[in-house]
Amino acid sequence: MSETSWAVIVLLAVAAFSIRVAGLVAGGRIRASRQAWMLEDLPGLIVVSLVASSLAGQSSSAWIAAGVALGVAVMTNHVIATMAVGVAAYAGLAWLGV
């Protein structure tokens, strides 16, 4: 490989490391601040936003399966059970031709 390629690799490695260190520093400062309460709900909010955006434009069977999965999530608060029941609901609806 040429010197230019090695320079790009080193530069990207330093940039990736710097981004991670900056995230650790920023995360530590946020955890020590008054806004730390927002971090508790952040993972759930991210999941909800990803699921909601992926449901846009989907079939009714996908919406029904998502509703079933939501019900299981509320009742059990168990991630694996929620995923398993949601997939089973979608597969069952597809098998029924809905």
Side-chain angles (χ1 to χ4, degrees):
M1 287 203 297
S2 68
E3 290 179 17
T4 306
S5 298
W6 282 109
V8 169
I9 290 170
V10 169
L11 179 66
L12 291 175
V14 168
F17 182 75
S18 300
I19 289 171
R20 291 180 184 195
V21 169
L24 285 172
V25 170
R29 288 187 180 173
I30 291 172
R31 281 191 189 104
S33 71
R34 292 180 304 180
Q35 288 79 19
W37 60 271
M38 290 187 287
L39 293 177
E40 295 174 8
D41 295 330
L42 190 60
L45 294 172
I46 291 171
V47 169
V48 167
S49 67
L50 291 172
V51 169
S53 64
S54 66
L55 278 175
Q58 293 296 319
S59 64
S60 60
S61 60
W63 279 90
I64 294 169
V68 170
L70 177 63
V72 171
V74 169
M75 290 187 323
T76 65
N77 197 24
H78 194 272
V79 175
I80 296 173
T82 301
M83 290 189 304
V85 172
V87 168
Y90 186 77
L93 290 169
W95 184 72
L96 291 173
V98 175

